[in-house]
Amino acid sequence: MSPEYRVTLDSDYDHEAVVRIGHAIRPDDYVSVELLEDRERAQRNAGRLNGRWLASVDNVIVGSGYFGQSPWFGPDLQFVHVMVHPDHQECGYGRALAERVETSAYDHGARRLLGHAEEADARTLRFLSLAGYREIDREWRSTLDLHSFDPVEWAESIDAVRAAGIAIQSVAEVSANRPDWREELHGLYVDIDRDVPSPLEILEIPREDFEAVTLGRQMLADGFLVALDGDTLVGLTEPQLVDGDPTALSQELTGVRSDYRGRGIATALKAASATWAKDQGYVSIRTYNAQSNAAMLVVNDRLGFEREHATIEYLKNL
């Protein structure tokens, strides 16, 4: 039976089918139905476009092609992501979805497309290259096995930062004493996020997106740590809950303000975070780091994060 293609906008599609395809390709992926819904809700509430082409065979969804704006970039740059269930690959569905996604993105204002592919996926890498995409960065997924993490080895690094006058507190502690903590934390997040080395200009993440994603349902107020110099917030690290795996954490942004670099604060924050996580019974922490952010890769390597496969980031001008 010939495939059928349909486009849906603003999250009007089958999240379960999309997650099923993603997990068939990468079984250890952390994306869940709930997480997709969170992201789509944040997009919709912010008034940003996002849409998805779905490919069906015999009324079963076998492929998905996403296009959408991002809170970190202007509307002229849109994310695109195409995936096809392994049982239905090499049938032309991916190419057909990619063509529809690019056309839809262009029709909705995109003039640049940002895509990605796994380093080991030679077929997709070849397709992206032939389609006019060029590599701009690489990102490694890394995991810290907390069974092998020894907090005693890192206590001295944490103590040294505290002895230098930098306090490390949880968001739960900070929020109890600072009425405007959400606004202050957003300001800190923006300063750090925009200063992360990147081949693309990073815009200020809107407050509503920060509230929905960073301070949303996966936030751990006791594990989200901030560094303070007196009353000034200078650094953060944000471990988040993982849907479907109560033993794992996903560590998102970690960093310090630019004028506080080189003092060991980021290392102390991540070591303190790992110590807290181990004390709470978690067994692993997963994070992602781009090769353009060499300093954080060094921090993670020192702490014992094991690099896994790389994801290649591609850009295409339309």
Side-chain angles (χ1 to χ4, degrees):
M1 181 176 179
S2 299
E4 296 180 354
Y5 298 94
R6 62 183 174 91
V7 66
T8 62
L9 297 177
D10 295 329
S11 74
D12 179 25
Y13 59 84
D14 192 332
H15 292 86
E16 292 185 2
V18 173
V19 170
R20 173 177 53 80
I21 295 170
H23 286 177
I25 297 171
R26 189 192 290 180
D28 60 351
D29 190 21
Y30 279 171
V31 175
S32 65
V33 171
E34 293 81 5
L35 185 58
L36 269 186
E37 291 174 344
D38 288 345
R39 292 174 179 175
E40 299 299 331
R41 189 179 303 109
Q43 290 280 79
R44 185 169 59 252
N45 291 344
R48 288 187 302 270
L49 170 87
N50 70 110
R52 193 176 296 267
W53 279 93
L54 298 173
S56 300
V57 176
D58 294 331
N59 295 317
V60 176
I61 296 173
V62 300
S64 163
Y66 173 84
F67 62 95
Q69 297 170 359
S70 163
W72 287 278
F73 306 110
D76 73 305
L77 190 154
Q78 293 185 24
F79 282 110
V80 292
H81 182 221
V82 173
M83 57 184 183
V84 176
H85 193 283
D87 293 343
H88 297 271
Q89 292 178 1
E90 300 187 19
C91 298
Y93 304 151
R95 185 177 300 275
L97 285 167
E99 292 173 352
R100 287 166 168 80
V101 162
E102 288 193 5
T103 299
S104 296
Y106 184 86
D107 290 345
H108 288 90
R111 295 301 177 262
R112 296 180 297 162
L113 301 178
L114 191 63
H116 65 272
E118 303 305 318
E119 184 180 37
D121 188 354
R123 184 174 62 251
T124 300
L125 298 182
R126 184 170 57 253
F127 169 78
L128 289 172
S129 178
L130 292 173
Y133 289 81
R134 60 182 178 87
E135 178 180 340
I136 60 170
D137 209 348
R138 291 185 178 223
E139 181 179 70
W140 279 273
R141 188 178 82 180
S142 302
T143 301
L144 177 63
D145 181 354
L146 290 173
H147 290 117
S148 60
F149 176 79
D150 184 0
V152 175
E153 293 182 10
W154 294 97
E156 185 175 341
S157 297
I158 298 171
D159 290 342
V161 166
R162 287 176 168 148
I166 303 297
I168 296 178
Q169 297 182 0
S170 70
V171 165
E173 294 171 307
V174 170
S175 63
N177 302 307
R178 303 170 81 106
D180 298 327
W181 69 274
R182 289 176 176 270
E183 181 179 352
E184 293 180 85
L185 194 59
H186 175 242
L188 172 66
Y189 186 100
V190 168
D191 286 348
I192 293 172
D193 192 37
R194 295 196 66 185
D195 204 35
V196 172
S198 171
L200 299 169
E201 180 185 4
I202 305 298
L203 303 180
E204 175 178 327
I205 185 172
R207 175 73 178 272
E208 58 268 28
D209 289 280
F210 173 76
E211 295 274 353
V213 178
T214 303
L215 303 184
R217 64 179 180 83
Q218 292 177 299
M219 183 187 77
L220 286 162
D222 291 326
F224 192 143
L225 303 182
V226 296
L228 301 95
D229 183 4
D231 288 332
T232 304
L233 304 181
V234 301
L236 63 80
T237 187
E238 52 163 331
Q240 292 191 345
L241 293 168
V242 174
D243 292 331
D245 188 349
T247 70
L249 294 176
S250 177
Q251 197 155 33
E252 305 302 318
L253 181 65
T254 298
V256 298
R257 296 187 192 273
S258 59
D259 50 340
Y260 282 84
R261 289 178 183 163
R263 306 188 193 183
I265 299 173
T267 299
L269 280 167
K270 295 205 84 163
S273 176
T275 299
W276 174 86
K278 185 164 185 170
D279 288 344
Q280 297 301 309
Y282 293 101
V283 300
S284 67
I285 302 175
R286 179 185 292 180
T287 193
Y288 298 84
N289 287 115
Q291 69 176 6
S292 54
N293 191 1
M296 190 54 65
L297 281 170
V298 171
V299 170
N300 286 337
D301 289 345
R302 286 182 58 209
L303 285 165
F305 281 85
E306 294 289 337
R307 295 191 202 182
E308 302 170 33
H309 62 269
T311 298
I312 304 178
E313 196 169 72
Y314 285 91
L315 185 70
K316 178 178 182 177
N317 294 317
L318 297 177

